[in-house]
């Protein structure tokens, strides 16, 4: 690089060192007190916002024939449930038949 380049930076790699932050209880309390003195407030949310997590987190990606897909969708609409509920019920019936 040319020394005439106004955007060049001359950095001494020996002076670029990172230091760990003091995370002791006393240091945190001092910084919190200084922040409150200058009017800073904690911005972290007090509780988790948004919808509660659903217990139904497992997903099944089943590819079925188009006519089967239409029948499952129609039955779910007729009963007013999600398609996953139909799959859960069908699995319960399968297991009951298999076990006994």
């Amino acid at each position: 690089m040319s020394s005439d380049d106004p955007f060049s930076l001359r950095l001494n790699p020996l002076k670029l060192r990172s230091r760990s932050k003091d995370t002791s209880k006393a240091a945190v309390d001092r910084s919190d007190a200084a922040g409150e003195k200058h009017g800073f407030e904690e911005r972290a949310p007090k509780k988790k916002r948004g919808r509660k997590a659903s217990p139904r987190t497992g997903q099944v990606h089943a590819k079925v024939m188009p006519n089967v897909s239409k029948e499952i969708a129609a039955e779910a609409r007729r009963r007013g449930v999600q398609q996953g509920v139909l799959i859960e019920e069908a699995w319960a019936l399968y297991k009951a038949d298999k076990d006994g």
Side-chain angles (χ1 to χ4, degrees):
M1 292 179 74
S2 169
S3 61
D4 297 333
D5 187 5
F7 297 106
S8 68
L9 295 174
R10 293 182 188 167
L11 298 176
N12 185 352
L14 299 176
K15 292 186 179 181
L16 296 176
R17 299 281 186 237
S18 64
R19 289 182 290 166
S20 60
K21 192 185 291 188
D22 184 11
T23 58
S24 66
K25 176 84 170 122
V28 172
D29 290 341
R30 280 194 314 269
S31 66
D32 287 345
E36 288 175 8
K37 180 181 175 184
H38 291 290
F40 289 98
E41 298 177 6
E42 179 146 2
R43 295 185 293 180
K46 301 297 180 199
K47 63 177 186 170
K48 188 173 181 182
R49 298 176 59 182
R51 282 191 339 198
K52 291 185 178 180
S54 170
R56 289 186 163 93
T57 56
Q59 292 186 353
V60 178
H61 300 281
K63 287 189 175 185
V64 296
M65 298 300 287
N67 60 328
V68 175
S69 173
K70 290 176 185 173
E71 291 172 2
I72 290 173
E75 180 64 17
R77 270 193 307 274
R78 186 185 70 76
R79 292 178 43 192
V81 297
Q82 298 291 323
Q83 294 177 14
V85 173
L86 291 180
I87 294 172
E88 289 173 358
E89 292 174 357
W91 183 251
L93 289 172
Y94 169 77
K95 283 179 62 175
D97 183 53
K98 182 180 174 186
D99 294 340

